[in-house]
Amino acid sequence: IRRPYSIASPPALNDQLHLCLKLVNDGLITNWFWKLKEGEKIRVQGPYGKFVLPDQIDSDLLFIATGTGVAPFRSMIYDLLERVGYHRKSYLLFGVRFDHSIPYDVEWRVLSKNHSNFIYIPTVSRPSAAWSGEQGYVQTKIEKFFSSPDSKQVYICGLNEMVKSVREACSRWGYRDDQIRYERYD
């Protein structure tokens, strides 16, 4: 049985492979992953995807993800921040259901603190009373944070419906199709 997963580790970690997985009840593969013991070896193929950053970047980058759709952006953002001479802005607009389970939240906050050109915007659709950040869905945040499409490239990763909604929101604000790249799954 084969399943595609996005690589969450940055290219500089060429001796490690990080994945961002959510345990799915009755999920054949995720349950198998959860039963692996540390040090066990597995066979992988790839990478095969084409959802990658170009070598030359001349625009600000807006990464929009929900849930485990953040995996390729973790790899991309670390790669960007390690590039010599990369000074453009990069934003991560990251949506999750619950504030107690934001993948890599501490990492994103540290990166944002240490890199003035990386801005992290988490938004929670079912926040706890303790949550003081953005609330709602990523597609509803385009107007607030990114209504101007000038000098921006958008990367979207998540479930089909979210990708469709974000693309429509970007379109309403004047983003052209050639400014939007996406990877979707269900």
Side-chain angles (χ1 to χ4, degrees):
I1 297 173
R2 296 181 192 179
R3 292 286 192 277
Y5 288 97
S6 293
I7 297 173
S9 45
L13 287 180
N14 56 15
D15 64 340
Q16 297 177 31
L17 180 67
H18 297 189
L19 302 175
C20 181
L21 305 171
K22 177 182 178 182
L23 181 60
V24 176
N25 291 338
D26 300 322
L28 183 61
I29 302 302
T30 58
N31 281 291
W32 177 81
F33 270 113
W34 254 255
K35 292 176 186 172
L36 287 174
K37 305 266 187 286
E38 186 174 338
E40 279 190 73
K41 295 183 181 196
I42 63 171
R43 194 173 111 163
V44 297
Q45 295 178 324
Y48 295 119
K50 295 181 181 4
F51 192 61
V52 296
L53 292 174
D55 291 332
Q56 183 65 35
I57 299 170
D58 57 0
S59 57
D60 291 344
L61 299 178
L62 170 54
F63 300 102
I64 303 173
T66 52
T68 59
V70 77
F73 299 150
R74 182 174 181 262
S75 177
M76 291 177 186
I77 289 166
Y78 271 100
D79 182 45
L80 279 174
L81 296 176
E82 292 169 0
R83 287 185 186 192
V84 174
Y86 176 74
H87 300 292
R88 300 296 304 225
K89 294 269 189 203
S90 57
Y91 303 85
L92 174 60
L93 176 56
F94 186 23
V96 295
R97 287 185 183 149
F98 307 105
D99 50 286
H100 61 81
S101 61
I102 303 173
Y104 310 113
D105 186 54
V106 172
E107 282 184 40
W108 301 130
R109 292 180 188 282
V110 168
L111 285 174
S112 185
K113 182 179 179 182
N114 293 337
H115 298 273
S116 61
N117 62 332
F118 174 64
I119 295 90
Y120 171 49
I121 307 166
T123 184
V124 179
S125 61
R126 294 177 183 95
S128 70
W131 181 252
S132 61
E134 291 294 321
Q135 296 182 23
Y137 299 105
V138 290
Q139 60 269 30
T140 66
K141 303 299 174 183
I142 304 300
E143 177 182 5
K144 180 175 182 178
F145 293 104
F146 309 106
S147 61
S148 171
D150 297 338
S151 299
K152 290 186 184 75
Q153 185 73 34
V154 180
Y155 287 76
I156 312 165
C157 188
L159 297 173
N160 286 319
E161 197 56 41
M162 182 280 287
V163 170
K164 179 182 174 198
S165 295
V166 170
R167 289 177 65 207
E168 288 170 354
C170 286
S171 241
R172 280 192 302 276
W173 288 101
Y175 287 84
R176 301 179 317 273
D177 286 346
D178 67 341
Q179 288 179 277
I180 302 170
R181 298 197 60 212
Y182 58 91
E183 184 171 83
R184 56 185 177 199
Y185 57 88
D186 270 25

